[in-house]
């Protein structure tokens, strides 16, 4: 089986971590291709007393699967402190992290970029993006401005010193003169970054070459996205996006795997919609229904703990995700969260200034004015968490799933009915 891409279809937190983990022992490698520790994936393994919860930020979800090579690709931005904290945390719980590989071309989140992320947000005031404050945006901006620090730079102190000096020449001016902050000391930053070099060195490799060799041997590799389609810097709800390419196209640039090797694109989609941070959200519920979804779905951020904004399923977004990612399969998650609702509305199109729109408006001013046109489905009350086949779902629930599948124009190949690894209905093999 060649390379399989796994992306989020909405605004993140769809359950990508669980979906990757679900593919489990049949995958030989997982490469994370974009984002950094702005991501937060919760994975629940085991049942009853044995139930264990893992929160991953920077490490690919495959790290929890024995025998699977976890890879941090060139498209990722790496906070080295977080990387080792996460590795240490997993090792303390008995997880073997020794096969982790890191691309030498991945960019490093320098301490001044964390500060810049936070102060620019404060400066933006009401126009803020609501970032995670982890330095993601400024680090990608440095990459594009060609003043970034890469993993490979950590192993030559002269190179590192020259690069940090170059970056700080500009950034210290901004920090001091615009934001009234203290300047960063070049030597202190170099010492901080270089302090990770020895521990990092054995993990650093040409990950694109490694991936090609794995694929040549017929191994299965998952290209795992952080964030999601509507947070993609090109295809998302700009400027309320993250600063990387979170759609399927980004999987190639962020990993070094060519498009011709990708055979399948799996998109994870929640049975309703959530969003963290600022920006338009047509189906957002600011009433008791929103509270219901947040409470029932435990919709609080894995990374920042912020309450997630909640709303009904938006089929316009689902169709858009199918189109821009070339989705071959959907994994529908959190269907169980809707249990107990009398009726379940689904947004089938938008009204923008009195005109019906079936496709997502790319003009953001229009998107911000879009109001949902709903179709309402009857709910179900039976607990579905023990269902392992579609036939075991109540009829209203099955009808809801069938309707979504028709509206989003790609097959739903797996359905999540609970957070656990086994709380899933496999409709179709995702890796055949
Ligand atoms: P990610 O960022 O896309 O990996 O998603 P997160 O981990 O941030 O958020 C998804 C949350 O939903 C996690 O807490 C998962 O444990 C949980 N989850 C995933 N699938 C299901 C499901 O089918 N049902 C329920 N109830 N929870 C789920
Ligand atoms: P996972 O991988 C949900 C959002 C932030 C903010 C915007 C920009 O867990 O789905 P950034 O710090 O990236 O510059 O913030 O993007 N955001 C996420 N929202 N899930 C995520 O990741 C996110 N990563 C970033 O809330 O609105
Ligand atoms: Mg998340």
């Amino acid at each position: 089986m060649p390379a399989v891409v796994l992306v989020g279809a909405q605004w993140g937190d769809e359950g990508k971590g669980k979906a990757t983990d679900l593919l489990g022992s049949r995958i030989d490698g997982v490469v994370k291709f974009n984002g950094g520790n702005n991501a937060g994936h919760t994975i629940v393994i085991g049942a009853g007393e044995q139930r264990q919860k893992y929160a991953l930020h920077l490490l690919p979800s495959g790290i929890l699967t024995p025998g699977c090579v976890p890879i941090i690709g060139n498209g990722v931005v790496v906070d080295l402190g977080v990387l080792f904290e996460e590795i240490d945390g997993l090792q303390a719980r008995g997880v073997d992290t020794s096969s982790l590989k890191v691309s030498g071309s991945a960019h490093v989140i320098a301490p001044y970029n964390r500060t810049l992320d936070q102060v620019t947000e404060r400066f933006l005031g009401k126009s803020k993006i609501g970032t995670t404050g982890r330095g993601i945006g400024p680090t990608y901006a440095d990459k594009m401005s060609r003043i970034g620090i890469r993993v490979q730079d950590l192993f030559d102190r002269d190179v590192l010193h020259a690069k940090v000096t170059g970056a700080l020449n500009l950034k210290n001016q901004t920090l001091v003169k615009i934001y009234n902050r203290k300047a960063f000391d070049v030597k202190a930053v170099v010492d901080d970054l270089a302090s990770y070099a020895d521990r990092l060195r054995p993990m650093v490799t040409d990950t694109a070459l490694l991936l090609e060799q794995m694929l040549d041997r017929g191994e299965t590799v998952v290209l795992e996205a952080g964030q999601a389609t509507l947070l993609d810097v090109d295809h998302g709800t700009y400027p309320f996006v993250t600063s990387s390419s979170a759609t399927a196209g980004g999987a190639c640039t962020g990993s070094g795997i060519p498009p011709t090797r990708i055979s399948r694109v799996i998109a994870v989609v929640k049975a309703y919609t959530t969003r963290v941070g600022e920006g338009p959200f047509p189906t957002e519920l600011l009433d008791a229904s929103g509270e219901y979804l947040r409470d029932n779905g435990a919709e609080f951020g894995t990374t920042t703990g912020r309450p997630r904004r909640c709303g009904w399923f938006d089929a316009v977004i689902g169709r858009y995700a199918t189109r821009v990612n070339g989705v071959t399969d959907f994994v529908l998650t959190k269907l169980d969260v809707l249990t107990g609702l009398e009726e379940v509305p689904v947004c089938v199109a938008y009204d923008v200034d009195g005109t019906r729109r079936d496709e997502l408006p790319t003009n953001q001013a229009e998107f911000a004015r879009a109001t949902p046109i709903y179709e309402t489905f009857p709910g179900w009350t039976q607990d579905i968490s023990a269902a392992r086949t579609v036939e075991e779902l109540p009829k209203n629930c099955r009808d809801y799933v069938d309707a979504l599948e028709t509206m989003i124009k790609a097959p739903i190949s797996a359905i999540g009915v609970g957070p656990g690894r086994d709380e899933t209905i496999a409709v179709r093999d995702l890796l055949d």
Side-chain angles (χ1 to χ4, degrees), residues 12-17 38-42 56 227 276 301-303 308:
D13 305 321
E14 295 90 351
K16 297 176 291 291
N38 47 347
H41 310 299
T42 301
L56 300 176
Q227 295 77 52
V276 191
T302 310
T303 298
R308 295 173 181 152

Side-chain angles (χ1 to χ4, degrees), residues 324-373:
V324 297
N325 294 295
V327 174
T328 59
D329 301 81
F330 274 104
V331 174
L332 177 70
T333 59
K334 303 193 106 165
L335 186 61
D336 53 298
V337 174
L338 301 180
T339 301
L341 289 166
E342 223 162 273
E343 291 187 322
V344 194
V346 171
C347 168
V348 295
Y350 301 134
D351 180 308
V352 181
D353 306 328
T355 304
R356 180 185 167 109
R357 302 282 289 267
D358 290 296
E359 296 294 333
L360 196 87
T362 51
N363 180 309
Q364 290 305 299
E366 287 180 355
F367 185 58
R369 293 199 301 276
T371 55
I373 299 173

Side-chain angles (χ1 to χ4, degrees), residues 85-124:
E85 223 172 84
E86 211 164 321
I87 290 173
D88 290 343
L90 288 180
Q91 281 178 351
R93 294 174 71 179
V95 177
D96 178 12
T97 60
S98 62
S99 59
L100 176 69
K101 300 285 177 247
V102 180
S103 167
S105 301
H107 281 245
V108 167
I109 301 180
Y112 44 81
N113 280 336
R114 276 193 300 273
T115 303
L116 275 166
D117 190 1
Q118 288 154 16
V119 294
T120 42
E121 278 283 277
R122 226 167 291 152
F123 206 71
L124 282 169

Side-chain angles (χ1 to χ4, degrees), residues 112 142 147-149 161-172:
Y112 44 81
D142 282 4
I147 56 164
I149 314 289
H161 193 276
K163 293 205 169 184
V164 172
T165 304
L168 280 180
N169 274 342
L170 183 74
K171 282 164 189 281
N172 272 340

